[in-house]
Amino acid sequence: MENKLRDLIQKAQEGNKDALLMLIEQFMPLINKYKRKLNCDGSETDLLIRFIEIAKSEKTVSITTEKQLIKYVETCIKNEYIRLSKNQNKVQKSELLILDNDMPDNRDVYDKIGIKTTVRKALNQLTSLQREIIIRSVINNEKEKDIASDLNISQQAVSKAKNKALEKMKKFFNGRL
């Protein structure tokens, strides 16, 4: 048992795909844990790629005990999660800052980011039609008549979707306060 993990890693480094699949299966709970924490598309793939790089790295050969090997892999995966999380936060912050031209200048940047993140979460609760109508009517100040014309629906349908969306958002915000 002591050398089982080490043997699998050695076989994976020699090109044995079955050994690599067994390693992935063994560490999948750890990968899934960090994938859920990241909660973004592609995070599982990024973590799996990093795991394969770790398994095939020369550093793993020099580790003598299974306990040290497990700890090394766990630390590397955690570090990859931290790196991906920081990148995700940078992208999210820059997207939010780009979207925000209407907020007062006297607010702190972090307040803006927090507000926009909450608004984005509220918008994600809506259907795609409701989201488009809210963005266009409330954020971009477009007239319901123009939105209706562009979407080939009645102004009444736009108004109804807008009111339902606003009600959903109101419930979302009330639940967060």
Side-chain angles (χ1 to χ4, degrees):
M1 179 69 183
E2 179 66 27
N3 292 325
K4 183 180 178 193
L5 184 61
R6 189 170 161 76
D7 291 343
L8 283 175
I9 287 177
Q10 189 171 6
K11 287 177 184 176
Q13 288 176 344
E14 293 169 356
N16 186 324
K17 290 181 180 170
D18 291 333
L20 183 59
L21 287 173
M22 289 174 70
L23 283 169
I24 291 171
E25 187 177 303
Q26 185 173 348
F27 284 95
M28 205 60 198
L30 178 69
I31 292 168
N32 284 333
K33 170 187 168 183
Y34 289 116
K35 175 188 86 168
R36 282 188 302 274
K37 284 184 172 189
L38 285 167
N39 191 27
C40 71
D41 294 336
S43 60
E44 180 178 26
T45 304
D46 291 335
L47 291 167
L48 279 170
I49 289 170
R50 181 64 182 129
F51 175 77
I52 293 168
E53 290 171 350
I54 295 163
K56 292 189 173 190
S57 110
E58 293 296 318
K59 171 87 169 127
T60 55
V61 175
S62 64
I63 300 173
T64 55
T65 69
E66 187 164 326
K67 187 176 179 179
Q68 289 173 329
L69 201 51
I70 291 170
K71 186 66 178 167
Y72 174 72
V73 170
E74 287 174 348
T75 302
C76 289
I77 295 296
K78 182 178 180 181
N79 288 340
E80 181 66 7
Y81 156 75
I82 291 168
R83 187 189 71 78
L84 291 170
S85 180
K86 285 180 180 178
N87 285 344
Q88 183 181 0
N89 286 338
K90 283 180 189 176
V91 168
Q92 195 174 40
K93 285 177 184 177
S94 65
E95 285 175 352
L96 292 172
L97 289 173
I98 289 169
L99 290 174
D100 180 35
N101 291 328
D102 299 328
M103 294 197 62
D105 291 334
N106 61 348
R107 287 195 176 211
D108 186 51
V109 172
Y110 293 107
D111 288 341
K112 292 179 189 179
I113 292 169
I115 290 168
K116 284 190 255 174
T117 301
T118 304
V119 170
R120 179 177 280 160
K121 287 178 182 177
L123 286 171
N124 286 337
Q125 304 295 315
L126 307 176
T127 66
S128 58
L129 177 65
Q130 290 172 335
R131 187 171 30 257
E132 182 174 355
I133 290 170
I134 290 296
I135 290 170
R136 291 180 68 181
S137 67
V138 176
I139 298 173
N140 297 339
N141 291 323
E142 291 183 42
K143 294 180 180 179
E144 288 181 5
K145 179 181 172 184
D146 296 334
I147 297 169
S149 175
D150 289 348
L151 297 176
N152 293 324
I153 59 176
S154 69
Q155 183 178 350
Q156 185 179 15
V158 170
S159 179
K160 187 176 179 180
K162 178 181 172 183
N163 289 336
K164 282 187 175 184
L166 290 171
E167 189 61 35
K168 279 185 186 178
M169 291 179 76
K170 181 179 176 182
K171 287 179 183 176
F172 175 83
F173 287 117
N174 285 338
R176 294 187 58 89
L177 297 177

